Short mmCIF file of all heavy atoms in Angstrom, two decimals:
data_model
loop_
_atom_site.label_atom_id
_atom_site.label_comp_id
_atom_site.label_asym_id
_atom_site.label_seq_id
_atom_site.Cartn_x
_atom_site.Cartn_y
_atom_site.Cartn_z
N ASP A 1 -10.28 3.44 -11.52
CA ASP A 1 -10.32 2.04 -12.09
C ASP A 1 -10.41 2.21 -13.66
O ASP A 1 -9.71 1.48 -14.37
CB ASP A 1 -11.62 1.31 -11.64
CG ASP A 1 -11.42 0.66 -10.27
OD1 ASP A 1 -10.26 0.51 -9.82
OD2 ASP A 1 -12.43 0.29 -9.58
N ALA A 2 -11.25 3.13 -14.11
CA ALA A 2 -11.33 3.31 -15.52
C ALA A 2 -10.04 3.86 -16.14
O ALA A 2 -9.64 3.45 -17.24
CB ALA A 2 -12.45 4.35 -15.83
N PHE A 3 -9.30 4.68 -15.42
CA PHE A 3 -8.02 5.25 -15.84
C PHE A 3 -6.99 4.12 -15.94
O PHE A 3 -6.40 4.01 -17.00
CB PHE A 3 -7.52 6.27 -14.81
CG PHE A 3 -6.16 6.85 -15.02
CD1 PHE A 3 -6.02 7.76 -16.01
CD2 PHE A 3 -5.09 6.31 -14.31
CE1 PHE A 3 -4.70 8.32 -16.29
CE2 PHE A 3 -3.83 6.97 -14.52
CZ PHE A 3 -3.62 7.86 -15.47
N LEU A 4 -6.90 3.25 -14.98
CA LEU A 4 -5.96 2.15 -15.04
C LEU A 4 -6.30 1.15 -16.17
O LEU A 4 -5.47 0.60 -16.88
CB LEU A 4 -5.87 1.39 -13.72
CG LEU A 4 -5.22 2.15 -12.56
CD1 LEU A 4 -5.26 1.38 -11.25
CD2 LEU A 4 -3.78 2.54 -12.82
N ALA A 5 -7.61 0.88 -16.23
CA ALA A 5 -8.04 -0.02 -17.31
C ALA A 5 -7.66 0.51 -18.77
O ALA A 5 -7.26 -0.29 -19.58
CB ALA A 5 -9.59 -0.22 -17.22
N GLY A 6 -7.81 1.80 -18.90
CA GLY A 6 -7.42 2.42 -20.21
C GLY A 6 -5.92 2.28 -20.50
O GLY A 6 -5.56 2.41 -21.69
N LEU A 7 -5.14 2.12 -19.48
CA LEU A 7 -3.71 2.03 -19.81
C LEU A 7 -3.23 0.62 -20.12
O LEU A 7 -2.14 0.38 -20.49
CB LEU A 7 -2.94 2.47 -18.45
CG LEU A 7 -3.02 3.93 -18.15
CD1 LEU A 7 -2.26 4.23 -16.84
CD2 LEU A 7 -2.42 4.82 -19.25
N GLU A 8 -4.21 -0.40 -19.95
CA GLU A 8 -3.89 -1.77 -20.34
C GLU A 8 -2.66 -2.27 -19.67
O GLU A 8 -1.76 -2.83 -20.32
CB GLU A 8 -3.88 -1.91 -21.78
CG GLU A 8 -5.20 -1.55 -22.50
CD GLU A 8 -5.14 -1.75 -24.01
OE1 GLU A 8 -4.12 -2.01 -24.53
OE2 GLU A 8 -6.26 -1.75 -24.61
N LEU A 9 -2.51 -2.04 -18.33
CA LEU A 9 -1.34 -2.53 -17.60
C LEU A 9 -1.57 -4.05 -17.14
O LEU A 9 -2.73 -4.55 -17.22
CB LEU A 9 -1.19 -1.72 -16.39
CG LEU A 9 -0.91 -0.24 -16.68
CD1 LEU A 9 -0.93 0.48 -15.27
CD2 LEU A 9 0.35 -0.02 -17.38
N ASP A 10 -0.55 -4.70 -16.82
CA ASP A 10 -0.61 -6.06 -16.31
C ASP A 10 -1.44 -6.03 -14.95
O ASP A 10 -1.37 -5.07 -14.22
CB ASP A 10 0.77 -6.66 -16.05
CG ASP A 10 1.46 -6.83 -17.36
OD1 ASP A 10 0.86 -6.95 -18.38
OD2 ASP A 10 2.77 -6.81 -17.26
N ALA A 11 -2.03 -7.11 -14.64
CA ALA A 11 -2.71 -7.30 -13.36
C ALA A 11 -1.70 -7.34 -12.24
O ALA A 11 -0.60 -7.83 -12.37
CB ALA A 11 -3.65 -8.56 -13.38
N GLY A 12 -2.14 -6.79 -11.09
CA GLY A 12 -1.24 -6.81 -9.99
C GLY A 12 -2.03 -7.26 -8.76
O GLY A 12 -3.15 -7.55 -8.69
N ARG A 13 -1.30 -7.09 -7.55
CA ARG A 13 -1.92 -7.37 -6.32
C ARG A 13 -1.26 -6.52 -5.27
O ARG A 13 -0.16 -6.12 -5.40
CB ARG A 13 -1.79 -8.86 -5.93
CG ARG A 13 -0.32 -9.37 -5.79
CD ARG A 13 -0.25 -10.87 -5.47
NE ARG A 13 1.07 -11.30 -5.22
CZ ARG A 13 1.39 -12.53 -4.83
NH1 ARG A 13 0.41 -13.45 -4.62
NH2 ARG A 13 2.63 -12.85 -4.69
N GLU A 14 -1.99 -6.37 -4.13
CA GLU A 14 -1.34 -5.60 -3.06
C GLU A 14 -0.26 -6.31 -2.39
O GLU A 14 -0.34 -7.60 -2.17
CB GLU A 14 -2.48 -5.32 -2.00
CG GLU A 14 -1.99 -4.34 -0.91
CD GLU A 14 -3.14 -3.88 -0.06
OE1 GLU A 14 -4.31 -3.66 -0.71
OE2 GLU A 14 -2.99 -3.57 1.11
N PRO A 15 0.84 -5.66 -2.09
CA PRO A 15 1.99 -6.38 -1.40
C PRO A 15 1.52 -7.11 -0.16
O PRO A 15 0.84 -6.49 0.67
CB PRO A 15 2.97 -5.26 -1.13
CG PRO A 15 2.67 -4.18 -2.10
CD PRO A 15 1.21 -4.28 -2.32
N GLU A 16 2.01 -8.34 0.04
CA GLU A 16 1.56 -9.17 1.08
C GLU A 16 1.93 -8.52 2.47
O GLU A 16 1.14 -8.69 3.47
CB GLU A 16 2.22 -10.56 1.06
CG GLU A 16 1.74 -11.34 -0.18
CD GLU A 16 2.34 -12.75 -0.24
OE1 GLU A 16 3.17 -13.03 0.68
OE2 GLU A 16 2.03 -13.49 -1.17
N THR A 17 3.03 -7.88 2.58
CA THR A 17 3.41 -7.28 3.84
C THR A 17 3.01 -5.86 4.06
O THR A 17 3.40 -5.24 5.13
CB THR A 17 4.98 -7.40 4.08
OG1 THR A 17 5.56 -6.61 3.04
CG2 THR A 17 5.40 -8.83 3.99
N ARG A 18 2.29 -5.33 3.14
CA ARG A 18 1.98 -3.86 3.24
C ARG A 18 1.24 -3.49 4.52
O ARG A 18 1.61 -2.56 5.19
CB ARG A 18 1.10 -3.56 2.01
CG ARG A 18 0.60 -2.06 2.07
CD ARG A 18 -0.20 -1.78 0.77
NE ARG A 18 -0.99 -0.54 0.89
CZ ARG A 18 -0.38 0.69 0.83
NH1 ARG A 18 0.85 0.79 0.60
NH2 ARG A 18 -1.18 1.81 1.00
N LYS A 19 0.18 -4.27 4.87
CA LYS A 19 -0.49 -3.88 6.06
C LYS A 19 0.30 -4.02 7.40
O LYS A 19 0.16 -3.18 8.30
CB LYS A 19 -1.76 -4.80 6.20
CG LYS A 19 -2.87 -4.45 5.21
CD LYS A 19 -4.11 -5.31 5.47
CE LYS A 19 -5.27 -4.81 4.60
NZ LYS A 19 -4.98 -4.72 3.16
N THR A 20 1.22 -4.95 7.38
CA THR A 20 2.17 -5.06 8.53
C THR A 20 3.05 -3.83 8.55
O THR A 20 3.32 -3.35 9.69
CB THR A 20 2.96 -6.37 8.39
OG1 THR A 20 2.13 -7.51 8.30
CG2 THR A 20 3.92 -6.47 9.53
N VAL A 21 3.60 -3.44 7.47
CA VAL A 21 4.52 -2.26 7.39
C VAL A 21 3.71 -1.07 7.77
O VAL A 21 4.28 -0.20 8.59
CB VAL A 21 5.10 -2.14 5.96
CG1 VAL A 21 5.91 -0.92 5.93
CG2 VAL A 21 5.97 -3.32 5.62
N MET A 22 2.47 -0.96 7.37
CA MET A 22 1.71 0.20 7.72
C MET A 22 1.42 0.30 9.35
O MET A 22 1.54 1.25 9.84
CB MET A 22 0.37 0.24 7.02
CG MET A 22 0.50 0.55 5.50
SD MET A 22 -0.96 0.22 4.55
CE MET A 22 -2.04 1.43 5.19
N ALA A 23 1.20 -0.91 9.85
CA ALA A 23 0.97 -1.01 11.30
C ALA A 23 2.28 -0.50 11.99
O ALA A 23 2.20 0.18 13.08
CB ALA A 23 0.53 -2.34 11.68
N ASP A 24 3.38 -1.08 11.55
CA ASP A 24 4.71 -0.66 12.08
C ASP A 24 4.92 0.87 12.09
O ASP A 24 5.34 1.47 13.06
CB ASP A 24 5.88 -1.38 11.36
CG ASP A 24 5.91 -2.91 11.58
OD1 ASP A 24 5.28 -3.28 12.51
OD2 ASP A 24 6.66 -3.49 10.82
N LEU A 25 4.56 1.47 10.93
CA LEU A 25 4.71 2.85 10.79
C LEU A 25 3.83 3.67 11.76
O LEU A 25 4.20 4.70 12.29
CB LEU A 25 4.45 3.30 9.35
CG LEU A 25 5.55 3.04 8.28
CD1 LEU A 25 5.02 3.48 6.92
CD2 LEU A 25 6.80 3.82 8.68
N GLU A 26 2.58 3.20 11.88
CA GLU A 26 1.69 3.85 12.82
C GLU A 26 2.28 3.84 14.18
O GLU A 26 2.15 4.85 14.94
CB GLU A 26 0.30 3.11 12.86
CG GLU A 26 -0.62 3.45 11.62
CD GLU A 26 -1.95 2.88 11.77
OE1 GLU A 26 -2.02 1.68 12.08
OE2 GLU A 26 -2.91 3.57 11.52
N THR A 27 2.89 2.83 14.59
CA THR A 27 3.49 2.76 15.96
C THR A 27 4.72 3.69 16.04
O THR A 27 4.80 4.40 17.01
CB THR A 27 3.98 1.32 16.24
OG1 THR A 27 2.83 0.47 16.18
CG2 THR A 27 4.58 1.26 17.61
N VAL A 28 5.55 3.62 15.02
CA VAL A 28 6.80 4.51 15.06
C VAL A 28 6.43 5.92 15.00
O VAL A 28 6.85 6.77 15.85
CB VAL A 28 7.67 4.19 13.88
CG1 VAL A 28 8.78 5.15 13.74
CG2 VAL A 28 8.26 2.74 14.01
N HIS A 29 5.54 6.35 14.05
CA HIS A 29 5.11 7.75 13.93
C HIS A 29 4.26 8.17 15.14
O HIS A 29 4.31 9.34 15.55
CB HIS A 29 4.33 7.90 12.71
CG HIS A 29 5.19 7.84 11.41
ND1 HIS A 29 4.92 8.54 10.30
CD2 HIS A 29 6.37 7.18 11.23
CE1 HIS A 29 5.86 8.27 9.36
NE2 HIS A 29 6.70 7.39 9.91
N GLY A 30 3.44 7.32 15.74
CA GLY A 30 2.65 7.67 16.83
C GLY A 30 3.54 8.00 18.01
O GLY A 30 3.27 8.92 18.77
N SER A 31 4.55 7.21 18.24
CA SER A 31 5.48 7.48 19.36
C SER A 31 6.21 8.74 19.16
O SER A 31 6.37 9.55 20.12
CB SER A 31 6.47 6.28 19.42
OG SER A 31 5.85 5.14 19.74
N ALA A 32 6.62 9.10 17.91
CA ALA A 32 7.28 10.32 17.63
C ALA A 32 6.33 11.54 17.77
O ALA A 32 6.80 12.52 18.37
CB ALA A 32 7.75 10.29 16.11
N PHE A 33 5.11 11.36 17.52
CA PHE A 33 4.12 12.44 17.74
C PHE A 33 3.90 12.71 19.20
O PHE A 33 3.93 13.84 19.73
CB PHE A 33 2.79 12.18 17.05
CG PHE A 33 1.73 13.15 17.53
CD1 PHE A 33 1.73 14.46 17.02
CD2 PHE A 33 0.72 12.79 18.45
CE1 PHE A 33 0.81 15.39 17.38
CE2 PHE A 33 -0.19 13.72 18.78
CZ PHE A 33 -0.17 15.07 18.27
#
């Protein structure tokens, strides 16, 4: 947090579909394993 604050970047947010994509990947990679 301190590192990012020192860079003075614009505020952001987590991508809305990120958790859905991660769940998809867990399924795909789990089946492959």
Side-chain angles (χ1 to χ4, degrees):
D1 281 341
F3 176 78
L4 290 178
L7 293 174
E8 298 182 349
L9 301 173
D10 294 334
R13 61 179 182 177
E14 185 166 329
E16 294 180 1
T17 61
R18 175 176 166 77
K19 288 183 171 58
T20 301
V21 173
M22 291 170 67
D24 290 345
L25 282 178
E26 283 187 313
T27 300
V28 170
H29 288 208
S31 296
F33 171 75

